[in-house]
Amino acid sequence: MLFAHDTECSLVAAAGLVNTAGPDREGLPDVAALDDFVASHGWTGRHEHTDGELVEVRTLRPRLRRIWYADTDEVVAIVNGLLRESHALPQLIRHDDEPYHVHAVPRDAPLATRMAVEAAMALADLVRMGELSRLRICDHPDCDNVLVDLSRNRCRRFCDAGCGNRAAVSAYRARKAASHP
Ligand SMILES: [Zn+2]
Ligand SMILES: [Zn+2]
């Protein structure tokens, strides 16, 4: 494990959230889609199932996406801004079956606020460890999904939407076409 377990989960969840906003598709079209997203990343705590909450979560995505393109100083400015706006106050807590871990806003804070703060806290770890290069954009030419490379040898190139397979298939076809002109 490279980072603390909750840090890794938060980074993966942040990337997953960013990737729900594609250039020509909306991955969070309605409250039900947000419910699925929340369940798939194991979010607990306040969850209102309202259009207002959905809009707040969608609005967070471009701010988080910006982090994948930013240099260190800009990441720091974004992270500090998110923590300040949310009045973050780190506290060790224990809930459900999890061991002690840090929450920087209460569990009854709005979902989008908690998503922002969890992402910001995890990104703060990345900055402190000099590991921002773990944040990458998918290498597939037709894809602009973001990813977090948590591999030991920093070899991850593609997002988990199947781009690695797509790239392998195109490379295979290109080789075949080249050998049978
Ligand atoms: Zn928790
Ligand atoms: Zn991709």
Side-chain angles (χ1 to χ4, degrees), residues 60-134:
L60 174 62
R61 297 179 304 191
R63 286 184 85 182
L64 292 182
R65 174 175 278 278
R66 181 76 212 125
I67 289 167
W68 264 261
Y69 299 87
D71 65 18
T72 303
D73 289 343
E74 196 186 343
V75 172
V76 166
I78 296 169
V79 165
N80 283 346
L82 290 169
L83 293 173
R84 202 166 44 231
E85 274 167 38
S86 312
H87 307 289
L89 174 67
Q91 298 279 291
L92 281 159
I93 77 158
R94 205 159 56 175
H95 61 86
D96 299 300
D97 285 333
E98 294 173 53
Y100 275 116
H101 57 286
V102 175
H103 279 212
V105 278
R107 275 160 58 75
D108 59 356
L111 180 62
T113 302
R114 288 184 295 119
M115 287 176 160
V117 168
E118 277 205 16
M121 294 290 285
L123 289 157
D125 274 2
L126 234 53
V127 170
R128 286 158 58 217
M129 295 176 77
E131 292 281 9
L132 280 177
S133 60
R134 302 266 178 189

Side-chain angles (χ1 to χ4, degrees), residues 138-140 143-145 158-163 166:
C138 179
D139 255 6
H140 196 285
C143 182
D144 68 349
N145 276 349
F158 299 105
C159 74
D160 41 18
C163 289
R166 285 203 288 153

